[in-house]
Amino acid sequence: MYFYAARQPILNINKDVVGYELLFRDGVDNVFPNVDDVEATSKLIEGSQFNFGLEDLTDGKPAYINFTLETILKGYPTMMGRDQLIVEILETVQPGKRLLAAVQELKEKGYKLVLDDYKHQKVWRHFYPYIDQIKVDMLVTSVEEIHEIKEAIVPHPQIELVAEKVETYEQYQLALELGFTLFQGFFFAKPEMVQTKALPPSEMALAELLYETSSVDVDLKRITQVFERDVNLSYKLLRYSNSAAFKRRAEISTIKQALVVLGNQELKKFLSLLFASQVASEKPMELIRLSLTRARFNELLAIKHKKLPDIGMAFLTGMMSLMDAILDETMDSVMQKLPLTIDIKDALLQGEGLLAEYLALVMAYEQAKWEEASVLTDKLGLAAEELPELYREALQWCDQQIEVMAI
């Protein structure tokens, strides 16, 4: 299964790209799908956070993303870093007290806000102090209406006008003459498609996690267990905890640590977004099975060896060891996106350290390389006669998790 999106550049007077508007797509045809605005926003954020990474989409420029009132009130904008995102308030959103309060809060947190496809109403003047840009559709807005908008925003010089749907040279020249400083439209570039392999988490796991996080006293141990049996969900958790929204993040060595770094409120927001996106649950079955087996076998080796300060590191190393194959990316690219500790990265990228030795032993067992397994077993000082039982236990645990999760 693949995740699709389109991007269209926004340019300044010098025709330098200052950002990209991101547009949700559900296939290779570069057209807007038949979904409502809430679903489109949810899927787009889910994809850009957990499949693409915004750096893959916007070349380091800010992303313009449309938000409905519902997605704004749910706090979806704050799931992305304020330097990454420009919040576009859809033209279908009606001005009101709830929206104004949410806009004020976003502005206080440092986010930039845009009124999209603006239709001038006097009630919007209450929002002007918090607005950075106003987008005007050059195909449907008259010159008289544009002058009215310009007059209304005179007391708010921070507001820039964006001419959108600029399709001809004449429209571009007119926008320049009317004082627009930013431009978007087919005259400059049509939306270009980008795709990546999507890894949706199990809907059952999401439902279970939403239930677990609905109480005041969150059972961290229970939540950790749910994450640990779903490789896709664990990957998305790590990607999110590494996003620009969390400036003071620590390096991560276990799933539990990632959950602690995130905190209860952000965890609930993260889960509600994934649940809302309603992505299908197709998964590369054998890769998932092998990832789970490696994770458990690695963990069991660490328990027996008693040399690792936190056995969760061994579990996470095993689970992440096939992420390059699952995502069709290099392991180096995957590791750049995840806030893992240097020990785990060294194991997966360089084959160095104790974690790498555990993983090498696990892989020797997988491939029936018994001489190699024997050398590694002796090097680690493990009892060779115990390993077949540990491997059998890992396979059995994997089967149990797959059955529970109905993967």
PDB file of all heavy atoms in Angstrom, residues 18-37:
ATOM      1  N   VAL A  18       8.899  29.826  -1.131  1.00  0.00           N
ATOM      2  CA  VAL A  18       8.895  30.100   0.310  1.00  0.00           C
ATOM      3  C   VAL A  18       8.154  29.024   1.092  1.00  0.00           C
ATOM      4  O   VAL A  18       8.193  28.994   2.321  1.00  0.00           O
ATOM      5  CB  VAL A  18       8.280  31.489   0.611  1.00  0.00           C
ATOM      6  CG1 VAL A  18       9.115  32.585  -0.023  1.00  0.00           C
ATOM      7  CG2 VAL A  18       6.835  31.567   0.134  1.00  0.00           C
ATOM      8  N   GLY A  19       7.457  28.134   0.394  1.00  0.00           N
ATOM      9  CA  GLY A  19       6.718  27.069   1.049  1.00  0.00           C
ATOM     10  C   GLY A  19       5.977  26.245   0.020  1.00  0.00           C
ATOM     11  O   GLY A  19       5.941  26.576  -1.165  1.00  0.00           O
ATOM     12  N   TYR A  20       5.393  25.141   0.494  1.00  0.00           N
ATOM     13  CA  TYR A  20       4.601  24.275  -0.382  1.00  0.00           C
ATOM     14  C   TYR A  20       3.250  24.001   0.270  1.00  0.00           C
ATOM     15  O   TYR A  20       3.194  23.662   1.464  1.00  0.00           O
ATOM     16  CB  TYR A  20       5.301  22.935  -0.613  1.00  0.00           C
ATOM     17  CG  TYR A  20       6.525  22.998  -1.494  1.00  0.00           C
ATOM     18  CD1 TYR A  20       7.793  23.168  -0.936  1.00  0.00           C
ATOM     19  CD2 TYR A  20       6.420  22.876  -2.878  1.00  0.00           C
ATOM     20  CE1 TYR A  20       8.923  23.206  -1.744  1.00  0.00           C
ATOM     21  CE2 TYR A  20       7.548  22.921  -3.687  1.00  0.00           C
ATOM     22  CZ  TYR A  20       8.790  23.085  -3.118  1.00  0.00           C
ATOM     23  OH  TYR A  20       9.906  23.134  -3.908  1.00  0.00           O
ATOM     24  N   GLU A  21       2.179  24.148  -0.508  1.00  0.00           N
ATOM     25  CA  GLU A  21       0.888  23.665  -0.021  1.00  0.00           C
ATOM     26  C   GLU A  21       0.825  22.170  -0.287  1.00  0.00           C
ATOM     27  O   GLU A  21       1.103  21.708  -1.408  1.00  0.00           O
ATOM     28  CB  GLU A  21      -0.277  24.364  -0.708  1.00  0.00           C
ATOM     29  CG  GLU A  21      -1.619  23.842  -0.192  1.00  0.00           C
ATOM     30  CD  GLU A  21      -2.817  24.672  -0.617  1.00  0.00           C
ATOM     31  OE1 GLU A  21      -2.645  25.628  -1.384  1.00  0.00           O
ATOM     32  OE2 GLU A  21      -3.931  24.352  -0.170  1.00  0.00           O
ATOM     33  N   LEU A  22       0.481  21.399   0.754  1.00  0.00           N
ATOM     34  CA  LEU A  22       0.373  19.953   0.621  1.00  0.00           C
ATOM     35  C   LEU A  22      -1.081  19.568   0.409  1.00  0.00           C
ATOM     36  O   LEU A  22      -1.975  20.048   1.115  1.00  0.00           O
ATOM     37  CB  LEU A  22       0.926  19.260   1.873  1.00  0.00           C
ATOM     38  CG  LEU A  22       2.397  19.553   2.207  1.00  0.00           C
ATOM     39  CD1 LEU A  22       2.864  18.669   3.339  1.00  0.00           C
ATOM     40  CD2 LEU A  22       3.281  19.363   0.984  1.00  0.00           C
ATOM     41  N   LEU A  23      -1.312  18.684  -0.546  1.00  0.00           N
ATOM     42  CA  LEU A  23      -2.666  18.302  -0.960  1.00  0.00           C
ATOM     43  C   LEU A  23      -2.786  16.789  -0.904  1.00  0.00           C
ATOM     44  O   LEU A  23      -1.984  16.069  -1.506  1.00  0.00           O
ATOM     45  CB  LEU A  23      -2.941  18.803  -2.383  1.00  0.00           C
ATOM     46  CG  LEU A  23      -2.638  20.284  -2.630  1.00  0.00           C
ATOM     47  CD1 LEU A  23      -2.510  20.565  -4.116  1.00  0.00           C
ATOM     48  CD2 LEU A  23      -3.727  21.148  -2.010  1.00  0.00           C
ATOM     49  N   PHE A  24      -3.796  16.292  -0.186  1.00  0.00           N
ATOM     50  CA  PHE A  24      -3.979  14.852  -0.057  1.00  0.00           C
ATOM     51  C   PHE A  24      -4.452  14.235  -1.365  1.00  0.00           C
ATOM     52  O   PHE A  24      -5.297  14.794  -2.064  1.00  0.00           O
ATOM     53  CB  PHE A  24      -4.985  14.531   1.051  1.00  0.00           C
ATOM     54  CG  PHE A  24      -5.331  13.069   1.126  1.00  0.00           C
ATOM     55  CD1 PHE A  24      -4.370  12.138   1.510  1.00  0.00           C
ATOM     56  CD2 PHE A  24      -6.601  12.617   0.798  1.00  0.00           C
ATOM     57  CE1 PHE A  24      -4.674  10.784   1.558  1.00  0.00           C
ATOM     58  CE2 PHE A  24      -6.915  11.262   0.849  1.00  0.00           C
ATOM     59  CZ  PHE A  24      -5.950  10.348   1.231  1.00  0.00           C
ATOM     60  N   ARG A  25      -3.903  13.068  -1.700  1.00  0.00           N
ATOM     61  CA  ARG A  25      -4.352  12.268  -2.837  1.00  0.00           C
ATOM     62  C   ARG A  25      -4.509  10.823  -2.373  1.00  0.00           C
ATOM     63  O   ARG A  25      -3.842  10.392  -1.436  1.00  0.00           O
ATOM     64  CB  ARG A  25      -3.328  12.324  -3.981  1.00  0.00           C
ATOM     65  CG  ARG A  25      -3.101  13.734  -4.549  1.00  0.00           C
ATOM     66  CD  ARG A  25      -4.327  14.225  -5.307  1.00  0.00           C
ATOM     67  NE  ARG A  25      -4.093  15.501  -5.964  1.00  0.00           N
ATOM     68  CZ  ARG A  25      -4.483  16.677  -5.483  1.00  0.00           C
ATOM     69  NH1 ARG A  25      -5.094  16.737  -4.309  1.00  0.00           N
ATOM     70  NH2 ARG A  25      -4.259  17.789  -6.164  1.00  0.00           N
ATOM     71  N   ASP A  26      -5.380  10.066  -3.068  1.00  0.00           N
ATOM     72  CA  ASP A  26      -5.556   8.667  -2.681  1.00  0.00           C
ATOM     73  C   ASP A  26      -5.107   7.698  -3.766  1.00  0.00           C
ATOM     74  O   ASP A  26      -5.407   6.510  -3.731  1.00  0.00           O
ATOM     75  CB  ASP A  26      -7.003   8.368  -2.275  1.00  0.00           C
ATOM     76  CG  ASP A  26      -7.984   8.587  -3.411  1.00  0.00           C
ATOM     77  OD1 ASP A  26      -7.563   8.998  -4.510  1.00  0.00           O
ATOM     78  OD2 ASP A  26      -9.186   8.328  -3.201  1.00  0.00           O
ATOM     79  N   GLY A  27      -4.375   8.195  -4.765  1.00  0.00           N
ATOM     80  CA  GLY A  27      -3.860   7.334  -5.816  1.00  0.00           C
ATOM     81  C   GLY A  27      -2.937   8.106  -6.734  1.00  0.00           C
ATOM     82  O   GLY A  27      -2.646   9.281  -6.511  1.00  0.00           O
ATOM     83  N   VAL A  28      -2.490   7.414  -7.787  1.00  0.00           N
ATOM     84  CA  VAL A  28      -1.522   8.042  -8.676  1.00  0.00           C
ATOM     85  C   VAL A  28      -2.133   9.134  -9.538  1.00  0.00           C
ATOM     86  O   VAL A  28      -1.420   9.979 -10.082  1.00  0.00           O
ATOM     87  CB  VAL A  28      -0.858   6.987  -9.594  1.00  0.00           C
ATOM     88  CG1 VAL A  28      -0.016   6.027  -8.775  1.00  0.00           C
ATOM     89  CG2 VAL A  28      -1.913   6.214 -10.388  1.00  0.00           C
ATOM     90  N   ASP A  29      -3.473   9.140  -9.702  1.00  0.00           N
ATOM     91  CA  ASP A  29      -4.113  10.224 -10.438  1.00  0.00           C
ATOM     92  C   ASP A  29      -4.050  11.488  -9.592  1.00  0.00           C
ATOM     93  O   ASP A  29      -4.500  11.498  -8.443  1.00  0.00           O
ATOM     94  CB  ASP A  29      -5.574   9.883 -10.746  1.00  0.00           C
ATOM     95  CG  ASP A  29      -5.685   8.707 -11.695  1.00  0.00           C
ATOM     96  OD1 ASP A  29      -4.782   8.560 -12.537  1.00  0.00           O
ATOM     97  OD2 ASP A  29      -6.651   7.937 -11.582  1.00  0.00           O
ATOM     98  N   ASN A  30      -3.513  12.549 -10.158  1.00  0.00           N
ATOM     99  CA  ASN A  30      -3.286  13.776  -9.401  1.00  0.00           C
ATOM    100  C   ASN A  30      -4.561  14.613  -9.333  1.00  0.00           C
ATOM    101  O   ASN A  30      -4.652  15.707  -9.873  1.00  0.00           O
ATOM    102  CB  ASN A  30      -2.159  14.578 -10.053  1.00  0.00           C
ATOM    103  CG  ASN A  30      -1.629  15.662  -9.135  1.00  0.00           C
ATOM    104  OD1 ASN A  30      -2.122  15.845  -8.020  1.00  0.00           O
ATOM    105  ND2 ASN A  30      -0.641  16.393  -9.601  1.00  0.00           N
ATOM    106  N   VAL A  31      -5.567  14.044  -8.646  1.00  0.00           N
ATOM    107  CA  VAL A  31      -6.847  14.735  -8.464  1.00  0.00           C
ATOM    108  C   VAL A  31      -7.275  14.572  -7.019  1.00  0.00           C
ATOM    109  O   VAL A  31      -6.912  13.609  -6.349  1.00  0.00           O
ATOM    110  CB  VAL A  31      -7.950  14.184  -9.401  1.00  0.00           C
ATOM    111  CG1 VAL A  31      -7.602  14.463 -10.849  1.00  0.00           C
ATOM    112  CG2 VAL A  31      -8.150  12.681  -9.185  1.00  0.00           C
ATOM    113  N   PHE A  32      -8.092  15.536  -6.546  1.00  0.00           N
ATOM    114  CA  PHE A  32      -8.546  15.458  -5.153  1.00  0.00           C
ATOM    115  C   PHE A  32      -9.549  14.319  -5.019  1.00  0.00           C
ATOM    116  O   PHE A  32     -10.480  14.210  -5.813  1.00  0.00           O
ATOM    117  CB  PHE A  32      -9.190  16.771  -4.712  1.00  0.00           C
ATOM    118  CG  PHE A  32      -9.491  16.809  -3.235  1.00  0.00           C
ATOM    119  CD1 PHE A  32      -8.485  17.080  -2.325  1.00  0.00           C
ATOM    120  CD2 PHE A  32     -10.762  16.532  -2.760  1.00  0.00           C
ATOM    121  CE1 PHE A  32      -8.753  17.103  -0.964  1.00  0.00           C
ATOM    122  CE2 PHE A  32     -11.031  16.542  -1.402  1.00  0.00           C
ATOM    123  CZ  PHE A  32     -10.017  16.829  -0.505  1.00  0.00           C
ATOM    124  N   PRO A  33      -9.381  13.429  -4.036  1.00  0.00           N
ATOM    125  CA  PRO A  33     -10.270  12.274  -3.894  1.00  0.00           C
ATOM    126  C   PRO A  33     -11.630  12.654  -3.326  1.00  0.00           C
ATOM    127  O   PRO A  33     -11.828  13.754  -2.812  1.00  0.00           O
ATOM    128  CB  PRO A  33      -9.500  11.383  -2.908  1.00  0.00           C
ATOM    129  CG  PRO A  33      -8.698  12.343  -2.096  1.00  0.00           C
ATOM    130  CD  PRO A  33      -8.323  13.472  -3.023  1.00  0.00           C
ATOM    131  N   ASN A  34     -12.546  11.706  -3.383  1.00  0.00           N
ATOM    132  CA  ASN A  34     -13.900  11.928  -2.880  1.00  0.00           C
ATOM    133  C   ASN A  34     -13.962  11.640  -1.380  1.00  0.00           C
ATOM    134  O   ASN A  34     -14.522  10.638  -0.932  1.00  0.00           O
ATOM    135  CB  ASN A  34     -14.886  11.028  -3.639  1.00  0.00           C
ATOM    136  CG  ASN A  34     -16.328  11.307  -3.245  1.00  0.00           C
ATOM    137  OD1 ASN A  34     -16.663  12.414  -2.811  1.00  0.00           O
ATOM    138  ND2 ASN A  34     -17.186  10.304  -3.379  1.00  0.00           N
ATOM    139  N   VAL A  35     -13.333  12.514  -0.601  1.00  0.00           N
ATOM    140  CA  VAL A  35     -13.361  12.409   0.860  1.00  0.00           C
ATOM    141  C   VAL A  35     -13.662  13.788   1.429  1.00  0.00           C
ATOM    142  O   VAL A  35     -13.471  14.801   0.759  1.00  0.00           O
ATOM    143  CB  VAL A  35     -12.012  11.899   1.429  1.00  0.00           C
ATOM    144  CG1 VAL A  35     -11.690  10.511   0.912  1.00  0.00           C
ATOM    145  CG2 VAL A  35     -10.881  12.858   1.085  1.00  0.00           C
ATOM    146  N   ASP A  36     -14.172  13.818   2.676  1.00  0.00           N
ATOM    147  CA  ASP A  36     -14.464  15.129   3.255  1.00  0.00           C
ATOM    148  C   ASP A  36     -13.185  15.783   3.764  1.00  0.00           C
ATOM    149  O   ASP A  36     -12.121  15.166   3.833  1.00  0.00           O
ATOM    150  CB  ASP A  36     -15.523  15.027   4.365  1.00  0.00           C
ATOM    151  CG  ASP A  36     -15.069  14.211   5.573  1.00  0.00           C
ATOM    152  OD1 ASP A  36     -13.862  14.210   5.880  1.00  0.00           O
ATOM    153  OD2 ASP A  36     -15.915  13.577   6.217  1.00  0.00           O
ATOM    154  N   ASP A  37     -13.297  17.065   4.110  1.00  0.00           N
ATOM    155  CA  ASP A  37     -12.118  17.848   4.491  1.00  0.00           C
ATOM    156  C   ASP A  37     -11.434  17.320   5.732  1.00  0.00           C
ATOM    157  O   ASP A  37     -10.198  17.358   5.844  1.00  0.00           O
ATOM    158  CB  ASP A  37     -12.515  19.315   4.701  1.00  0.00           C
ATOM    159  CG  ASP A  37     -12.943  19.998   3.404  1.00  0.00           C
ATOM    160  OD1 ASP A  37     -12.434  19.584   2.343  1.00  0.00           O
ATOM    161  OD2 ASP A  37     -13.775  20.913   3.453  1.00  0.00           O
TER     162      ASP A  37
END
